[in-house]
Amino acid sequence: MILVDTNILGTLARVERLPLLLELFGQDEIGVCPAVYAELLAGTREGRQFLQLAVQLIEAGTIKLVALTADEILGRLKLPTSLDSGEAESITVCQTRDAA
């Protein structure tokens, strides 16, 4: 599995190249953590409509929404507070599941 965060999804969406992510990594499962999904939703509510395609891909299941286990939630709390929630969740899941 390849986990992506808000930064990469937002950047590709802004330049209208989000499908490139699927072209490059479509043979692998692409996922996001709940905090990343929440950040994307917040961005669309704040008027950044270019993020809507990323939200749609998650809601359609093209990009998988990856739920954290209880151990991952606890592990996320051990990371530096300088990381935002999306980064911290993604790092934790990558470490525990050998994801990229």
Side-chain angles (χ1 to χ4, degrees):
M1 173 180 292
I2 297 174
L3 285 179
V4 292
D5 69 359
T6 308
N7 186 34
I8 191 67
L9 290 172
T11 299
L12 289 172
R14 175 167 268 178
V15 297
E16 299 178 2
R17 295 292 292 165
L18 196 49
L20 181 61
L21 181 70
L22 302 173
E23 290 173 30
L24 291 173
F25 301 109
Q27 72 279 4
D28 295 304
E29 188 172 48
I30 300 171
V32 296
C33 293
V36 171
Y37 178 60
E39 290 169 358
L40 293 168
L41 287 175
T44 60
R45 283 192 299 270
E46 293 168 2
R48 292 187 289 279
Q49 292 306 311
F50 61 89
L51 296 174
Q52 189 59 43
L53 178 57
V55 170
Q56 290 170 346
L57 290 172
I58 295 165
E59 291 175 350
T62 305
I63 296 176
K64 181 180 178 184
L65 184 58
V66 179
L68 277 69
T69 65
D71 287 340
E72 290 167 340
I73 291 168
L74 294 173
R76 180 251 181 269
L77 298 174
K78 296 176 184 175
L79 292 175
T81 57
S82 59
L83 296 171
D84 69 29
S85 293
E87 292 168 335
E89 284 185 3
S90 297
I91 289 168
T92 301
V93 170
C94 284
Q95 289 175 333
T96 60
R97 302 185 196 189
D98 281 333

